[in-house]
């Protein structure tokens, strides 16, 4: 017994010694470091960084291209503070005729839509014997999508300093979805084709309409191509991949150029199971979901687009990134006119359009309504410059709100075929500019500003896109290509001025001086 007590005593002493050593050499120093004030040597660059436990800055939710984006030293903030971006717009907005929607009429229409949605949703739940404690949807007038619609004017889809766009982008990124469906044009074509005749591996881009809990709607285009993948050289433009990140980047570029003709667009990681499959009432859409061999949730487009599962898009295993573009007001409220572009391309494997072989083609365009009057031709040239910067060859039509007549702005929809090849500049996209030799003075001034080092286009685009949830939205070579293409646009304008004189080339207003009789020789 005495020997056993001595062994216990030795064990306790050994454990005590080990505990004391651990406290002295390990736990003690850690506690002292935690209690000691954090000190940094003078001039240490780390002093400017936030502590690891510091919360993320609130600016995460500021829309990337907004006039109030960026911090101290921000080129983006400096750009939007420049006098060019603070000039009064012409013509001034005088009254209700300059706004797209009449407020009371629009609100009555939206209230009817919400009431119809609640009735149909109730019937749907009763048919499936579903129980839900969710109250009926209520239309709130302060919701961002309603304010966005009410803010569309003769000058553009939103004003330069509109806080509504900031809120709309935030809501599209975070609000839960309550329904998912095909778009109307897809519904019209479902079943009207022969899948055996589809030979294009890319097909038409799969897209869905998502509705959010505030009753707003957005067009969802899922990721089909990685950032650093370039369009194959042998692809025709009409079979090119459509890229979700191109839609996002196009919105930012449009805002930086101060056109404000691209609907607000944001990137989002969508749970395809919870936010599409479980909320859709469309049985066809439900039927195209499947689990891949890698255990990812996938879905594919029904005929007339892609009829095979090898062309499906898949989550990882549920999350799939894509772009969300805000819907414009209903055609019942704001009818739109779709006009073929005078510089439309041939959508066949052979053959060329007249503008591709006739250098004097612009003379013909200027003699034909509506390009013979107003500023329509100058707006088309704006659109051509925008498409050249993005590399989009697929601009076959443009749309306008009929309320604003011939002097209304062009809406730059469907930009998903941009930013495909950073290593190639498609000069033919600039044909409206090079053949007509006309440009708005305000457009030229902004392009010249974005060519300066303090406002370099690639830098402000990089900064603008940085806060999107899907950053990096563009691979670095695409950003650098913007600077190269901008210089090409400016060289083209200089060539026109040398051939025709600045007075004939640069228009002071959208209804500026008549263009020269022919393109540059």
């Amino acid at each position: 017994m005495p020997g056993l007590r001595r062994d216990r005593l030795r064990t306790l002493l050994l454990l005590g010694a080990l505990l004391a050593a651990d406290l002295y050499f390990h736990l003690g120093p850690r506690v002292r470091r935690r209690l000691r004030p954090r000190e940094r040597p003078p001039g240490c660059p780390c002093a400017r960084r936030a502590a690891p436990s510091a919360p993320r800055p609130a600016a995460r939710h500021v829309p990337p291209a907004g006039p109030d984006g960026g911090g101290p030293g921000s080129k983006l903030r400096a750009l939007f503070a420049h006098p060019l971006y603070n000039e009064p717009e012409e013509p001034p907005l005088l009254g209700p005729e300059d706004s797209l929607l009449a407020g009371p009429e629009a609100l009555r229409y939206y209230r009817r839509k919400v009431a119809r949605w609640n009735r149909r949703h109730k019937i749907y739940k009763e048919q499936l014997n579903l129980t839900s404690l969710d109250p009926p949807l209520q239309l709130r007038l302060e919701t961002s999508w309603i304010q966005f619609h009410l803010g569309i004017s003769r000058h553009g889809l939103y004003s330069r300093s509109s806080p509504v766009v900031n809120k709309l982008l935030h809501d599209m990124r975070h609000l839960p979805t309550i329904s998912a469906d095909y778009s109307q044009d897809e519904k019209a074509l479902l079943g009207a084709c022969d899948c055996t005749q589809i030979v294009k591996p890319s097909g038409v881009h799969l897209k869905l309409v998502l509705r959010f809990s505030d009753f707003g709607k957005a067009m969802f285009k899922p990721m089909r191509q990685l950032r650093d993948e370039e369009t194959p050289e042998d692809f025709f433009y009409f079979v090119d991949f459509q890229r979700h990140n191109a839609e996002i980047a196009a919105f930012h570029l449009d805002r930086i150029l101060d056109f404000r003709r691209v609907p607000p667009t944001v990137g989002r990681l969508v749970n395809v199971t919870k936010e599409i499959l479980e909320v859709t009432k469309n049985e066809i859409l439900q039927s195209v979901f499947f689990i891949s061999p890698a255990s990812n949730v996938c879905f594919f487009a029904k005929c007339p687009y892609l009829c095979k599962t090898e062309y499906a898009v898949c989550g990882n295993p549920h999350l799939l990134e894509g772009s969300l573009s805000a819907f414009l007001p209903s055609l019942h409220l704001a009818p739109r006119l779709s006009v073929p572009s005078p510089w439309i391309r041939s959508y066949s494997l052979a053959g060329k359009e007249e503008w591709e072989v006739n250098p004097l083609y612009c003379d013909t365009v200027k003699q034909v309504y509506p390009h013979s009057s107003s500023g329509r031709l100058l707006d088309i040239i704006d659109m051509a410059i925008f498409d050249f910067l993005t590399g989009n060859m697929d601009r076959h039509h443009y749309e306008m709100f009929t309320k604003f007549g011939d002097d209304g702005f062009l809406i730059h929809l469907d930009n998903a075929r941009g930013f495909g090849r950073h290593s190639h500049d498609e000069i033919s996209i600039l044909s409206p500019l090079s053949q007509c030799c006309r440009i708005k003075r305000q457009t030229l001034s902004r392009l010249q500003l974005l060519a300066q080092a303090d406002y370099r286009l690639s830098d402000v685009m990089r900064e603008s896109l940085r806060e999107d949830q899907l950053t990096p939205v563009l691979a670095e070579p695409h950003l650098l290509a913007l600077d190269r293409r901008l210089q090409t646009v400016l060289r083209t304008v200089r060539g026109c001025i040398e051939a025709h004189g600045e007075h004939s080339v640069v228009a002071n207003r959208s209804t500026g001086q008549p263009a020269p009789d022919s393109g540059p020789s």
Side-chain angles (χ1 to χ4, degrees), residues 84 87 90 259 261 366 373-382 385 433 436-448 493 496-497 500-516:
L84 280 176
E87 294 178 344
E90 296 182 3
F259 289 158
R261 299 167 193 168
K366 289 183 293 185
S373 61
S374 75
R376 183 78 61 89
L377 186 59
L378 290 168
D379 284 339
I380 290 176
I381 292 171
D382 276 353
I385 293 171
L433 172 63
C436 299
C437 270
R438 293 285 281 162
I439 188 172
K440 296 177 186 175
R441 183 174 297 278
Q442 58 185 4
T443 299
L444 178 59
S445 298
R446 287 192 293 267
L447 294 176
Q448 291 170 333
V493 174
C496 288
I497 291 175
H500 303 286
E502 182 176 347
H503 178 76
S504 296
V505 173
V506 183
N508 290 323
R509 296 181 301 277
S510 61
T511 55
Q513 303 90 345

Side-chain angles (χ1 to χ4, degrees), residues 101 109-110 113 149 327-336 401:
L101 299 181
Y109 176 81
Y110 291 138
K113 294 281 285 186
H149 287 182
F327 259 61
L328 296 176
S330 165
L331 295 176
H332 295 287
L333 284 175
R336 299 196 299 269
F401 292 113

